[in-house]
Amino acid sequence: MIRLLLPHHLRNLAGTGREVELDVAEPVTQRSLIDALEDAYPPLRGTLRDPATQRRRPFIRFFAGEEDLSHEPPDALLPEAVLTGKEPLHVVGAMAGG
Amino acid sequence: MTAVRVLVGTQKGAFILSSDGRRTGWEVEGPLFGGWEVYHVTGSPADPDRLYASQSTGWFGQVIQRSDDGGRSWNPAGNGFSYQGGTGTHQWYDGTPHPWEFARVWHLEPSYDDPDTVYAGAEDAALFRTTDGAATWTELEGLRTHHTGPKWQPGAGGMCVHTVLIDPSDADRLHVAISAAGVFRSGDAGQSWAPANRGLQSGGIPDPDAEVGHCVHRITRHPSRPDVLFMQKHWDVMRSDDGGDHWREISGDLPTDFGFPIAVHAHEPDTVYVVPITSDSEHYPPEGRLRVYRSRTGGDEWEPLSAGLPQSDCYVNVLRDAMAVDDLDPCGIYFGTTGGQVYGSADSGDTWQPIVRDLPRVLSVEVQTRP
């Protein structure tokens, strides 16, 4: 299972807790993980990536351990620690104004 | 017992203000969707318990919320707002071509007779419709792909469809207003569109009476007279008596004819309300005095309404979707400010009281009157 930590607004929208666990088909990438998240929690569709372009929204960041994966290609494999469930993938709303 | 529900969208969530028919004591519920920008909350005329809300943020995009119980509970609905076909370009602020990009829903306009049918006015300017209670949305692309589309430019707030009017006597007749393209109308339920801006004069564009390019801030009508339209433009208050074929200025003796909202009395089709703002570069009331102006003659002659409103040191604005009326007698008028106040009048504007004073910046106000 892949562990995912969601920010406050997305937890409220999905009606879930801070951490969700997802069964993601291999290969486990940012793209397949978000696909699985949106299938499991339909209210989150379009919140992490733009529905038209499928690109990560500019103020969304993905962290694992102390590594920023935000700029990795969407089809790159996630780190081993995330794949084994040792580390969660953090979905972070970037720090920005008001 | 008669009740009034005021639906308030703000920059940091939504609020529902409730009162009985006397409109003196109010309950305040909220924030709903706390932390999100809520551009609009509105109810279905066909089912007052069916509410829709447009929430968005720069972080997570657009979400549409739906309530089936008058706002006690909400569920996220569909947010698939995809432009149909090739998106093409409009003009950017500097005049260069810029691809159409969906940003948010500014305004939701439910059908008069079907709670599942709702129009959504979006930025970048486009009109969407759902017929399944907001589960799915389809663009009526005839508007965005109008042959003048490549000439449209955004206003300071973005290029948005901010007003959608459905003719109460013929649901196929629609008007929309776009900043800064102008008014467009359709006679075939949104399949095809034509500009309806003849008579508008805008000093800020190269051709003051151009077919498109006018920064229309808001249009409204009384349901008993579908062809009589009132407009608050960037500058100028305007009126059309022929469904938008021609417009004439009715600013008359207003202290300034710049402003954003415009509303019509529920029972007097020639009684109109505006909130004059100093200028396009000073978005606050003249002399720091917040005054609503009322015309009982369909325009030209206006009277200031200030009883109960701050008459010194007031520098708020009232945004285009932030004024509405109830259906009671006497008619109630409500508006919200960028300073977070929501004011109400239970006597057609003669006197005002603050309902709440310290909400976030108010983006929209709608009113439901319940028997």
Side-chain angles (χ1 to χ4, degrees), chain A residues 9 45 47 57 59-60 94 96 98, chain B residues 12 34 36 59-61 65 79:
Chain A
H9 284 311
R45 285 204 177 110
T47 58
R57 290 191 176 279
F59 291 163
I60 295 290
Chain B
K12 296 293 180 186
W36 293 71
W59 285 264
F60 308 117
Q65 295 275 358
N79 62 350

Side-chain angles (χ1 to χ4, degrees), chain B residues 7 42-52 108-118 166 168 327 366-371:
Chain B
L7 309 172
T42 193
S44 162
D47 175 3
D49 280 341
R50 175 69 66 82
L51 307 183
Y52 294 96
L108 296 160
E109 188 70 22
S111 150
Y112 278 98
D113 51 16
D114 176 13
D116 287 339
T117 295
V118 185
I166 305 170
D327 292 335
E366 291 285 352
V367 183
Q368 293 183 296
T369 311
R370 299 154 64 211

Side-chain angles (χ1 to χ4, degrees), chain B:
Chain B
M1 180 197 253
T2 302
V4 174
R5 198 154 57 196
V6 179
L7 309 172
V8 183
T10 81
Q11 197 151 15
K12 296 293 180 186
F15 297 82
I16 298 178
L17 319 178
S18 303
S19 183
D20 59 25
R22 290 172 296 176
R23 296 163 287 179
T24 51
W26 292 86
E27 288 183 17
V28 180
E29 182 190 353
L32 307 165
F33 329 121
W36 293 71
E37 290 186 301
V38 180
Y39 268 59
H40 199 207
V41 188
T42 193
S44 162
D47 175 3
D49 280 341
R50 175 69 66 82
L51 307 183
Y52 294 96
S54 170
Q55 67 175 104
S56 61
T57 70
W59 285 264
F60 308 117
Q62 177 69 51
V63 173
I64 297 291
Q65 295 275 358
R66 166 179 156 174
S67 173
D68 294 330
D69 55 13
R72 286 189 293 277
S73 64
W74 294 83
N75 287 297
N79 62 350
F81 292 94
S82 299
Y83 294 135
Q84 301 293 303
T87 52
T89 60
H90 59 80
Q91 287 193 44
W92 197 232
Y93 294 97
D94 60 2
T96 58
H98 190 85
W100 245 269
E101 296 169 328
F102 176 85
R104 62 178 58 81
V105 169
W106 277 61
H107 184 89
L108 296 160
E109 188 70 22
S111 150
Y112 278 98
D113 51 16
D114 176 13
D116 287 339
T117 295
V118 185
Y119 292 89
E123 173 190 356
D124 283 336
L127 186 66
F128 293 83
R129 180 172 58 200
T130 179
T131 57
D132 56 13
T136 59
W137 296 88
T138 302
E139 188 197 6
L140 300 165
E141 72 268 28
L143 178 62
R144 180 179 49 81
T145 60
H146 189 268
H147 70 87
T148 61
K151 299 180 187 173
W152 301 356
Q153 276 191 307
M159 196 175 75
C160 52
V161 173
H162 52 70
T163 304
V164 182
L165 299 181
I166 305 170
D167 186 334
S169 63
D170 180 354
D172 285 349
R173 294 185 67 209
L174 305 171
H175 287 79
V176 301
I178 301 170
S179 286
V183 177
F184 291 77
R185 63 181 170 183
S186 170
D188 54 12
Q191 299 306 305
S192 62
W193 295 85
N197 299 305
R198 194 174 300 135
L200 303 187
Q201 294 276 335
S202 297
I205 58 178
D207 176 3
D209 59 356
E211 180 184 33
V212 299
H214 301 276
C215 193
V216 174
H217 284 179
R218 179 76 170 167
I219 57 173
T220 190
R221 65 149 64 95
H222 191 277
S224 71
R225 293 194 314 193
D227 281 336
V228 179
L229 300 171
F230 295 98
M231 172 194 294
Q232 174 68 67
K233 194 161 65 66
H234 196 73
W235 291 98
D236 301 336
V237 180
M238 308 292 292
R239 170 179 177 147
S240 172
D241 290 288
D242 50 18
D245 277 344
H246 305 84
W247 294 90
R248 64 182 172 87
E249 187 173 357
I250 56 169
S251 305
D253 54 6
L254 285 170
T256 157
D257 57 18
F258 189 92
F260 290 92
I262 187 165
V264 182
H265 190 287
H267 313 299
E268 299 170 13
D270 268 327
T271 297
V272 187
Y273 300 85
V274 294
V275 184
I277 292 299
T278 303
S279 72
D280 53 357
S281 49
E282 296 171 298
H283 284 191
Y284 43 74
E287 304 157 6
R289 301 170 61 194
L290 182 56
R291 287 167 291 182
V292 175
Y293 275 70
R294 176 175 63 195
S295 171
R296 292 192 182 277
T297 55
D300 294 321
E301 298 165 20
W302 300 87
E303 57 178 323
L305 308 172
S306 60
L309 298 177
Q311 294 305 296
S312 63
D313 306 321
C314 180
Y315 294 94
V316 298
N317 192 4
V318 180
L319 300 180
R320 69 190 81 219
D321 224 354
M323 186 179 228
V325 303
D326 68 28
D327 292 335
L328 296 177
D329 189 11
C331 177
I333 322 290
Y334 307 84
F335 67 91
T337 77
T338 53
Q341 302 84 31
V342 178
Y343 292 99
S345 168
D347 53 14
S348 301
D350 291 339
T351 61
W352 299 84
Q353 62 165 332
I355 300 174
V356 280
R357 285 186 178 277
D358 298 304
L359 299 186
R361 173 185 170 92
V362 175
L363 305 179
S364 65
V365 170
E366 291 285 352
V367 183
Q368 293 183 296
T369 311
R370 299 154 64 211

Side-chain angles (χ1 to χ4, degrees), chain A residues 11-12 31 39 43-44 54 59 61 64 67 75 77 82 96:
Chain A
R11 296 200 298 269
N12 287 348
R31 188 192 307 277
D39 286 345
L44 299 185
Q54 292 296 299
F59 291 163
R61 292 288 185 270
E67 197 176 350
D75 292 318
L77 282 179
V82 174

